[in-house]
Amino acid sequence: MPRAHEGDRAGEVTRLLRAARTGDRDAFDALFTRVYAELRAVAARQLRGERDGGALRPTELVNELYLKLAGSPAGEWEDRAHFYGVAARAMRQLLVDLARRRDAVKRGGGWIMTTLGDGTASTDAGLEEVLALEDALAGLDERQRQIVEYRFYGGMPEQEIARVLGTSTRTVQREWTKARAWIYRALYPDSGTAGLAPAPAAPRAGSA
């Protein structure tokens, strides 16, 4: 979409966020419709590795996300970046819950190299790796966990993560590098971290 329209789209999302914070359900529904495509794209990346057709399709996951966000305190949504941050956390919770129900904890494959290695927030192993990641996240500090959450589950760019966390983009980049190196070592203790090249910017989830 031409850049001339990006400011208008962002402004509309911000307007709807402000209205939704007052309890306006129509505004929340309009907001969710506005960002639906971005959220569905994130859901599709998370479920890409489901080789059996999946226990949950991207549309169904986004519908679950809608119900979860509709029941969350709207006061958390300070701006568009914060909204995507809340959505990323909700997506993580939904996927972890689904993975636990399936008892799908398997390690290995190309997941770390395609996901944490290049910063694309995509996975080829689907839910099979969600609980393995959850275990590894336990070894990080709170800010590092949030950065992984926002990038992996929300596809948020470093600049927006920095704004949500109230820190600098350089700090986010540094902590992201530390976090993914830790996760790689936790999942592949015999492999080292040599295969982890510096990650480029994640795709912009909040372009609406």
Side-chain angles (χ1 to χ4, degrees):
M1 179 167 291
R3 290 191 176 216
H5 296 287
E6 291 181 0
D8 293 340
R9 286 166 58 87
E12 177 67 6
V13 169
T14 299
R15 184 188 68 77
L16 291 171
L17 274 170
R18 289 172 179 168
R21 288 180 63 186
T22 69
D24 186 337
R25 185 56 178 268
D26 290 339
F28 174 78
D29 289 344
L31 167 68
F32 204 85
T33 299
R34 197 71 161 164
V35 302
Y36 179 88
E38 285 83 3
L39 295 176
R40 191 185 184 285
V42 171
R45 286 195 293 270
Q46 301 302 333
L47 297 174
R48 184 178 297 166
E50 291 302 282
R51 299 175 178 83
D52 61 354
L56 205 62
R57 297 183 182 277
T59 298
E60 295 169 332
L61 181 56
V62 175
N63 289 341
E64 292 283 344
L65 182 63
Y66 168 86
L67 295 175
K68 194 171 188 67
L69 291 178
S72 67
E76 297 179 2
W77 307 337
E78 297 179 16
D79 55 27
R80 182 170 54 88
H82 277 86
F83 173 77
Y84 277 102
V86 172
R89 176 155 295 184
M91 185 81 76
R92 171 188 172 189
Q93 292 170 346
L94 287 170
L95 287 167
V96 169
D97 288 346
L98 178 60
R100 283 176 175 159
R101 288 199 300 269
R102 293 181 54 179
D103 195 27
V105 57
K106 294 182 180 179
R107 299 172 187 264
W111 174 70
I112 288 296
M113 295 305 295
T114 59
T115 302
L116 296 177
D118 63 14
T120 58
S122 64
T123 174
D124 291 329
L127 293 171
E128 293 180 353
E129 298 287 2
V130 169
L131 294 185
L133 174 61
E134 197 69 9
D135 288 344
L137 288 179
L140 302 177
D141 64 34
E142 179 61 22
R143 182 162 65 180
Q144 290 171 340
R145 283 196 296 271
Q146 287 178 310
I147 290 170
V148 173
E149 182 177 78
Y150 293 159
R151 283 184 64 100
F152 177 71
Y153 291 100
M156 292 172 65
E158 292 161 347
Q159 294 84 353
E160 289 196 352
I161 295 173
R163 187 158 64 250
V164 171
L165 297 181
T167 189
S168 68
T169 300
R170 180 170 296 183
T171 296
V172 170
Q173 293 169 339
R174 182 175 63 249
E175 294 302 316
W176 165 247
T177 298
K178 291 179 182 177
R180 63 196 181 92
W182 165 266
I183 292 170
Y184 190 89
R185 286 195 300 268
L187 297 184
Y188 303 96
D190 298 325
S191 299
T193 58
L196 287 174
R204 186 175 183 81
S207 59

